[in-house]
Amino acid sequence: MNSELSFDSMDLSSEILKAVRAMGFEEPSTVQAKTIPLMMEGRDINAIAPTGTGKTCAFGIPMLEYVQLKDSRVQEIVLAPTRELALQIGDELTRLAKYIDGVRIAVIYGGQSISRQITALKRHPQIVIATPGRLLDHMQRGNIRLDAVHTMVLDEADEMLNMGFVKDVTKIIEATPSDRQLVLFSATTNQDVLTIAWKYQHDPVEITVEATKKDRPQITQYVIAVDQDQKTDHLLYLLDADEYQRIMIFCNTKFMTDKLTSRLVKEGYDARCLHGDIPQSKRNVVMSDFKRGKFPILVSTDVAARGIDVDDVEAVINYDLPNENEYYLHRIGRTGRAHKHGVSFSLVTFRESVRMDEILKYMLTAPTPLKFVDGVLCTEDGTPFFSNI
Ligand code: ADP
Ligand code: MG
């Protein structure tokens, strides 16, 4: 983490300092040290930092330092791409707000009953964390107004501005005052982020935390060449070879996610699955049980690839290679969080090897730099990247 700046030297309230200590944080991470003071000054920020380096608190702390407790209007909004991530951000902000009396935080997401959310909104939250579709729905029904919003955060900003979301997100931004603070956070970025930044931010500060030794997630990445019909056997071999307490397996389709989970259960593994066709209440139970360590293997589509923070995920397995390069980085970034060490395995068939090459090329320029050492592709500390076991 960052040794130049301590939480104590950051001009934080005693309530936040107490909460940060209770959360076990000794010093701010680099992205926190760089963004918290600027965000507290009210600046618009466009921050890019590797996975698992504490971006949530980087925006959460300034949000809670700003909140006007006596004002019962919605003052601060965070948008997130998945329901699971919205809930997780809500939990992290609630932990940060533990010693601040009178902060009300509402999490608004699709799949939960509208009436329950209306009740939450009637309690006049100052802070709302939401997925865009459902927030827009509430705006259109007149359940929430954004005309007093001071700060708006897009977490996983590049994903929020992807095709599926950009229209809704733009409508939401336009419902807030034009002088609101707009803050963008992600581990990866793209052209859409620059466009939105250009259109809606005022004199933004660009902050990029390079994946240097100190701030790079420590993930040893293995690529295993397999035949399609051997994928499951290789997976079973991997699961048996190391007794992982917590492991995430990613597939590309809901069908494959279900099928693989059934197979694992049949083989005697305690595996559960997560994807968009599972009812939201069940999704919430699966996610929170996995976080609490109630079962060791989560098989998921990319709904769990972005932003999800589970302590001590030891390994990530790509059963299928993701169709988008960024998702490789986000998937493997579920391990190696908060300076712990993680490992990832990608099961790659001959047909997928072309994709793997593309991903490797992307990773060479992505926030987790790789380099050649004696002709072998390695992470910065010399760990071989490309390996067969
Ligand atoms: P990111 O959004 O960058 O992927 P998160 O905000 O999810 O990362 O944080 C990853 C983990 O690190 C979380 O469990 C979080 O509680 C923890 N964390 C955040 N800030 C610190 C800190 N300053 N010191 C230690 N751990 C931290
Ligand atoms: Mg995050």
Side-chain angles (χ1 to χ4, degrees):
M1 302 266 151
N2 193 291
S3 51
E4 291 138 44
L5 198 58
S6 65
F7 281 117
D8 288 317
S9 68
M10 276 182 149
D11 206 16
L12 302 176
S13 62
S14 59
E15 290 86 353
I16 288 286
L17 284 174
K18 210 167 145 189
V20 161
R21 268 182 226 116
M23 288 162 88
F25 302 170
E26 283 164 14
E27 49 187 12
S29 64
T30 306
V31 66
Q32 290 164 358
K34 287 191 170 178
T35 54
I36 290 171
L38 288 166
M39 197 167 154
M40 282 170 66
E41 279 172 26
R43 296 293 300 268
D44 284 1
I45 297 171
N46 190 351
I48 300 155
T51 55
T53 58
K55 292 189 284 294
T56 319
C57 288
F59 59 76
I61 290 173
M63 284 176 69
L64 288 163
E65 290 293 2
Y66 170 80
V67 71
Q68 314 286 305
L69 297 171
K70 293 205 181 93
D71 188 345
S72 59
R73 296 175 299 177
V74 176
Q75 301 154 27
E76 302 186 284
I77 297 240
V78 183
L79 294 184
T82 63
R83 301 155 181 190
E84 282 73 13
L85 183 55
L87 277 170
Q88 175 182 297
I89 296 168
D91 289 345
E92 189 98 330
L93 262 59
T94 304
R95 289 206 289 161
L96 279 174
K98 185 168 175 194
Y99 302 103
I100 310 173
D101 273 345
V103 183
R104 289 177 299 276
I105 299 172
V107 185
I108 300 293
Y109 55 92
Q112 196 192 35
S113 98
I114 289 262
S115 61
R116 199 164 139 194
Q117 293 176 352
I118 292 176
T119 312
L121 291 173
K122 282 193 175 143
R123 289 183 60 240
H124 298 295
Q126 301 102 340
I127 296 178
V128 170
I129 296 146
T131 52
R134 182 56 70 93
L135 179 62
L136 209 57
D137 195 359
H138 281 289
M139 285 160 61
Q140 280 155 359
R141 289 165 189 243
N143 300 335
I144 184 171
R145 297 173 59 113
L146 304 186
D147 52 357
V149 166
H150 172 273
T151 301
M152 172 146 183
V153 178
L154 304 188
D155 194 18
E156 303 291 340
D158 56 336
E159 177 72 358
M160 299 309 304
L161 301 168
N162 264 345
M163 264 169 12
F165 284 118
V166 70
K167 255 183 154 173
D168 287 355
V169 170
T170 309
K171 275 189 202 152
I172 295 168
I173 296 176
E174 288 188 348
T176 63
S178 61
D179 61 350
R180 44 74 199 104
Q181 177 180 35
L182 181 59
V183 178
L184 313 177
F185 274 87
S186 192
T188 48
T189 191
N190 60 25
Q191 189 57 40
D192 305 329
V193 175
L194 298 178
T195 309
I196 262 327
W198 177 78
K199 202 163 166 198
Y200 295 107
Q201 286 187 315
H202 308 286
D203 191 20
V205 195
E206 305 277 336
I207 292 172
T208 305
V209 175
E210 299 291 345
T212 54
K213 194 149 187 136
K214 188 159 63 81
D215 293 299
R216 178 168 40 78
Q218 296 174 30
I219 308 163
T220 307
Q221 305 164 55
Y222 294 98
V223 179
I224 304 170
V226 293
D227 288 337
Q228 183 65 37
D229 59 1
Q230 293 174 348
K231 266 199 180 182
T232 311
D233 288 339
H234 270 273
L235 176 68
L236 294 172
Y237 170 77
L238 283 175
L239 295 178
D240 286 341
D242 286 286
E243 282 183 16
Y244 295 114
Q245 303 297 307
R246 250 178 240 174
I247 181 162
M248 292 174 83
I249 303 172
F250 285 98
C251 301
N252 286 357
T253 62
K254 296 164 189 167
F255 175 78
M256 195 61 232
T257 309
D258 275 332
K259 191 173 151 193
L260 185 61
T261 310
S262 309
R263 174 73 196 276
L264 291 177
V265 169
K266 208 169 131 209
E267 297 285 341
Y269 294 94
D270 194 357
R272 305 200 196 154
C273 75
L274 197 72
H275 59 65
D277 279 354
I278 294 171
Q280 190 57 42
S281 54
K282 195 166 167 213
R283 269 166 72 169
N284 293 356
V285 173
V286 169
M287 201 65 233
S288 81
D289 283 358
F290 185 59
K291 287 191 175 189
R292 279 192 244 137
K294 287 198 177 170
F295 64 92
I297 304 172
L298 181 66
V299 186
S300 178
T301 58
D302 283 313
V303 296
R306 286 243 180 197
I308 293 302
D309 181 57
V310 180
D311 279 350
D312 302 325
V313 170
E314 296 147 300
V316 169
I317 298 181
N318 285 311
Y319 187 85
D320 298 318
L321 279 184
N323 295 325
E324 285 178 50
N325 298 342
E326 289 80 10
Y327 267 91
Y328 178 83
L329 185 146
H330 288 284
R331 286 180 179 185
I332 68 165
R334 295 319 96 208
T335 184
R337 301 180 72 74
H339 284 210
K340 290 178 186 146
H341 193 270
V343 56
S344 78
F345 301 96
S346 297
L347 302 174
V348 179
T349 61
F350 181 69
R351 282 182 59 160
E352 286 172 309
S353 60
V354 180
R355 276 293 301 131
M356 194 68 227
D357 276 350
E358 287 168 7
I359 289 170
L360 282 175
K361 285 197 191 96
Y362 167 78
M363 291 298 284
L364 283 165
T365 55
T368 308
L370 298 166
K371 61 176 183 184
F372 282 97
V373 177
D374 298 332
V376 180
L377 198 59
C378 293
T379 54
E380 236 176 15
D381 57 1
T383 317
F385 174 77
F386 218 2
S387 172
N388 280 311
I389 58 166

